[in-house]
Amino acid sequence: MNTKFIPLSVPNFEGNERKYVDDAVVTTWVSTGGGYVTSFENAVAEYVKMPMAVATASGTSSLHLALIVSGVKENEEVIVPALTFIAAVNPVKYLHAEPVFVDCDDYLCMNPESVRDFLENHCEKRDGATYNKKTGRKVSAMMTVHVFGNICDMEKLMDLAKEYNLVVIEDATEALGSIVKEGRYAGKYAGTIGDIGCYSFNGNKIITTGGGGMLVSNHNDWAKHAKHLSTQAKSDELRFYHDEIGYNYRMTNLQAALGVAQMECLDKFIEIKERNYNYYVENIHGKNGLEILPFREDISSNRWFYSVLLKDNNMTTDQVIQGMSDDKIQTRPIWALISDLEPYKDCQRMDLSKAQYYVKRVVNIPCSTSLSLDDAKVVADRLLEITK
Ligand SMILES: *Cc1c(COP(=O)(O)O)cnc(C)c1O
């Protein structure tokens, strides 16, 4: 019997977190001014090799800003994955635009064939733009989500975006540190391939600021516009002139102090994630009809979340989750399909058979960077015991 609770994914503060947060408190720079915000922006920008990065209040707010500065308008359509966290889709609705749901591939990422199906069979090109034949609406963007630290098949998705003149927004909230190794985008980090990319520093992500986000763009003016919008679109500090409708989407210095310390640990965290992933693969994959889903071969993934596929095993995800929980080990099913949820049930969707399959067969197992190999052994042993 396991005696210690093993959580799914919790923060790891073994670096300079307390030192920097204490400094922010002692100097009273706890709000949106102060040096840590700039340092954190610079650290992320440098890491992902971009000229600038814009810190925000959350991943969701950076996705909202990304859609606005991309020029997505009311009554336009955005291609989104059905299998992802809802924060990748809700901002489309904040703009009164409409999502169109597509399927995933075998890496749980947006399936280029599903996107192609929609564009080729349900859309028409007119005057350099793409229109949905059924709704008549302009299709203006695609939201590529790099699920669990994988990277989408960006070569195919970028080709489609070019052919149909769509903006590419990368939801890289789960993939900070994942990098393409081969092919056209070799050397590029998740979030830096399309037009604009977003990261999240929520408590369960690979690094955390408690809550927070970041945005990078291959169009410098878009990044600058996002920064402007995030600070209430204030154009004159002294007189409070605001030249458009902005948002209070800034990160605080207190959060950024955590972020600077966490960035110092990112490479170490990725190493630990890789070590534990390899342990799980060696000890679980291929046993009892279970598989550990792979990360794409042509990338080096941050391996943020690990997915056990109940491939040739008759247990349900609920049974597995309960069996693990009975031994104090926290696991979880993947997200319900967004296209099935109340606010989205009437939206257009392509064939979603892969997403429907994986949603019923995948369980995420503990992946914290504080997870020791001994803990990983407890997890693997228990999983094999209950799935026998
Ligand atoms: C975490 C996450 C977000 C949102 O980030 P928050 O910082 O929680 O707002 C968006 N998309 C995906 C896929 C996520 O996993």
Side-chain angles (χ1 to χ4, degrees), residues 62-78:
S62 55
L63 288 162
H64 186 192
L65 292 174
L67 284 161
I68 297 172
V69 302
S70 301
V72 173
K73 303 244 161 19
E74 184 173 347
N75 280 322
E76 293 182 350
E77 295 184 353
V78 179

Side-chain angles (χ1 to χ4, degrees), residues 57-61 63 84-88 145-147 171 173-174 199-202 204-205 211-213 304 335:
S58 65
T60 311
S61 54
L63 288 162
T84 186
F85 181 50
I86 199 157
V145 184
H146 303 309
V147 174
D171 177 338
T173 50
E174 305 183 352
Y199 304 103
S200 162
F201 311 110
N202 186 42
N204 62 345
K205 300 299 201 281
W304 175 60
W335 314 277

Side-chain angles (χ1 to χ4, degrees), residues 228-240:
H228 184 58
L229 288 173
S230 76
T231 56
Q232 303 280 26
K234 195 194 280 177
S235 51
D236 185 302
E237 276 294 329
L238 193 60
R239 292 176 184 79
F240 285 83

Side-chain angles (χ1 to χ4, degrees), residues 281-302:
V281 170
E282 277 159 31
N283 291 280
I284 297 170
H285 190 81
K287 297 184 181 157
N288 298 354
L290 306 179
E291 287 190 357
I292 305 284
L293 287 186
F295 294 98
R296 209 179 279 287
E297 296 237 313
D298 55 0
I299 69 162
S300 177
S301 167
N302 71 359

